């Protein structure tokens, strides 16, 4: 039954196809950039005689195949399996200058006297595989994609295992491999019908990168679900030891333990990401924690590199977790703006009272100049209360505020979801006193 299902699937999905339009190829070598030279004529593949075969000719083959630099001009007989008896030798000689884009631009002499003992071979650079994990929750988990000829391809899931995953995790500085889920477990790349790489890699598990693993050409990829990799990652981020939630020592959680972040590589772009991730406001500053706010325990993160657009610190690249030469003197502290927050104080419920807004860690009141029904409604909406009961609120009922008057001349259109989106004077600029504090009464939710 299993075999039948396999055959049916194979029939309906079919093998993935080659998409090469090249008229030269290298066969029998350890990778697609080394082997016996074959050229195509009228749909048939034949060999090239090694008369006059030199580095200029190999250079052109390497260029045509996108294989980097020419390395050597081996004999084609070194590569197995050897040529079929029926296979023809097509060319006696190829005469390239070395700058041609492909072999068909070189002068070619038709064969008149040559056997397969004289087949030409070519060795170019081993193609390097640039790898990334796409569609996952962070940069250390996702569908395996490798770049070839400037295009990202998925890897076939067949033949993909923990050794290969270990190498990918190492190459991406992502710690230990944890699993090899199917690539289909992750969000597809938008809008593209992604090609499958017609190559497998066999790794021992200790290689530094995927390029160092042994490549094996494949000719089809049944059940194409793509390969996936899950490496270890930071679990969480927080700011501790500060006077408020959005200021303090940066700590990340890994292997269930909170640890600190080292100054190496750390800059305001990384702070921006942390502030965004924590739902705080703008990134204000970052500096080394002073001795009283230093952390203890592991120093998990160093060599952090964020562009500032990442949605979480987990998406920035970094050194291997826990592997660095930092000390707690290098612990980083940051300050983000507080999130814009509101509250109604002095009432019987959270839905009535004097209006206060949080700014720079301090609660302050709002002046009633220009305050009207739209503004009232926006506050009730933002607090998740019921309808605004404007204009019933009288500040005398709730008591005047003390301290800061943060906002004045607030103007909402009524469409805003929060007071933050309304216009107002610059924070702290006003011509009011606390007699003019705004109070709001909303119905209960
Ligand atoms: C070889 O390169 C020339 C010039 O770019 C191009 O016109 C021709 O189609 C190429 N031939 C092959 C077989 O790629
Ligand atoms: C891959 O690792 C090998 C050693 O295993 C090293 O020589 C090579 O430079 C590395 N390549 C890249 C692209 O990092
Ligand atoms: C922070 O460093 C990253 C590279 O690690 C760089 O791309 C970014 O522009 C830097 N940001 C700032 C604000 O210097
Ligand atoms: C730590 O320092 C040693 C000695 O200077 C160096 O060989 C090693 O590469 C450093 N490790 C890291 C992760 O920076
Ligand atoms: C009012 O708000 C405070 C602080 O946000 C909260 O602890 C309390 O549960 C709220 N009370 C009601 C009735 O929602």
């Amino acid at each position: 039954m299993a075999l039948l299902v396999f055959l049916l699937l194979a029939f309906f999905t079919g093998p993935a196809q080659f998409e090469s339009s090249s008229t030269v190829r290298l066969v029998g070598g350890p990778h697609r950039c080394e082997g016996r030279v074959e050229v195509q004529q009228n749909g048939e593949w034949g060999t090239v005689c090694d008369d006059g075969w030199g580095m200029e000719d190999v250079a052109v083959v390497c260029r045509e195949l996108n294989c980097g630099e020419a390395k050597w001009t081996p004999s084609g007989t070194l590569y197995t399996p050897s040529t079929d008896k029926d296979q023809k030798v097509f060319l006696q000689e190829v005469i390239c200058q070395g700058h041609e884009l492909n072999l068909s631009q070189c002068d070619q002499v038709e064969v008149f006297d040559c056997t397969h003992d004289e087949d030409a071979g070519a060795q170019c650079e081993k193609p390097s595989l640039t790898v990334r994990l796409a569609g996952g929750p962070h940069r250390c988990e996702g569908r395996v994609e490798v770049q070839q000829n400037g295009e990202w391809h998925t890897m076939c899931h067949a033949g993909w295992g923990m050794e290969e995953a270990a190498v990918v995790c190492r190459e991406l500085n992502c710690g230990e491999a944890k699993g090899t889920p199917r690539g289909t477990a992750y969000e597809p790349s938008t809008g593209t019908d992604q090609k499958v790489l017609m190559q497998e890699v066999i790794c021992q598990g200790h290689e530094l990168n995927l390029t160092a693993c042994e490549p094996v050409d494949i000719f089809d990829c049944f059940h194409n679900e793509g390969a996936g990799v899950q490496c270890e990652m930071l679990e969480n981020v927080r700011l501790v030891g500060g006077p408020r939630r959005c200021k303090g020592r940066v700590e990340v959680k890994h292997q269930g333990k909170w640890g600190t972040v080292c100054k190496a590589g750390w800059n305001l772009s990384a702070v921006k990401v942390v502030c965004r991730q924590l739902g705080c406001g703008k990134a204000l500053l970052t500096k080394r924690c002073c001795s009283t706010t230093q952390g203890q325990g592991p120093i998990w993160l160093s060599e952090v590199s964020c562009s500032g657009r990442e949605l979480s610190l987990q998406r920035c690249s970094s050194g291997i977790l826990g592997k660095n030469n930092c000390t707690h003197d290098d612990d980083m502290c940051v300050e983000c703006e507080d999130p814009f927050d509101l509250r109604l104080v002095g009432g019987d419920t959270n839905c009535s009272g004097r209006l206060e807004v949080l700014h720079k860690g301090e609660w302050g009141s709002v002046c009633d100049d220009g305050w009207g029904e739209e503004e009232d409604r926006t506050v009730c909406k933002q607090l998740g209360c019921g309808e605004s009961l404007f204009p019933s609120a009288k500040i005398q009922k709730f008591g005047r505020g003390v301290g800061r008057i943060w906002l004045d001349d607030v103007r909402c259109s009524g469409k805003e979801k929060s007071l933050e989106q309304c216009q107002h004077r610059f924070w702290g600029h006003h011509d009011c006193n606390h007699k003019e504090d705004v109070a709001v009464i909303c119905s209960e939710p």
Side-chain angles (χ1 to χ4, degrees), residues 284-356:
L284 295 177
L285 64 88
T286 184
K287 57 180 180 358
R288 272 199 282 175
C289 302
C290 60
S291 55
T292 53
T293 51
Q294 261 172 231
Q296 292 159 345
I299 302 171
W300 285 130
L301 211 53
S302 76
E303 309 294 341
V304 173
S305 169
C306 307
S307 73
R309 288 185 298 271
E310 297 85 353
L311 293 178
S312 71
L313 201 56
Q314 283 92 331
R315 289 183 182 269
C316 300
S317 76
S318 68
I320 298 171
L321 296 174
K323 292 230 165 63
N324 53 67
N325 288 336
C326 303
T327 70
H328 281 299
D329 282 341
D330 304 318
D331 286 350
M332 291 310 290
C333 282
V334 307
E335 184 173 348
C336 320
E337 255 180 14
D338 279 297
F340 189 91
D341 213 354
L342 297 185
R343 66 182 184 187
L344 296 174
V345 297
D348 300 332
T349 72
N350 287 349
C351 287
S352 69
R354 179 163 43 79
L355 176 61
E356 292 195 340

Side-chain angles (χ1 to χ4, degrees), residues 354 365-366 368 395 400-401 405 433-439:
R354 179 163 43 79
S365 47
V366 177
D368 68 4
I395 188 60
R400 292 175 194 169
I405 297 174
N433 62 50
H434 282 295
K435 274 192 280 191
E436 301 165 74
D437 285 351
V438 166

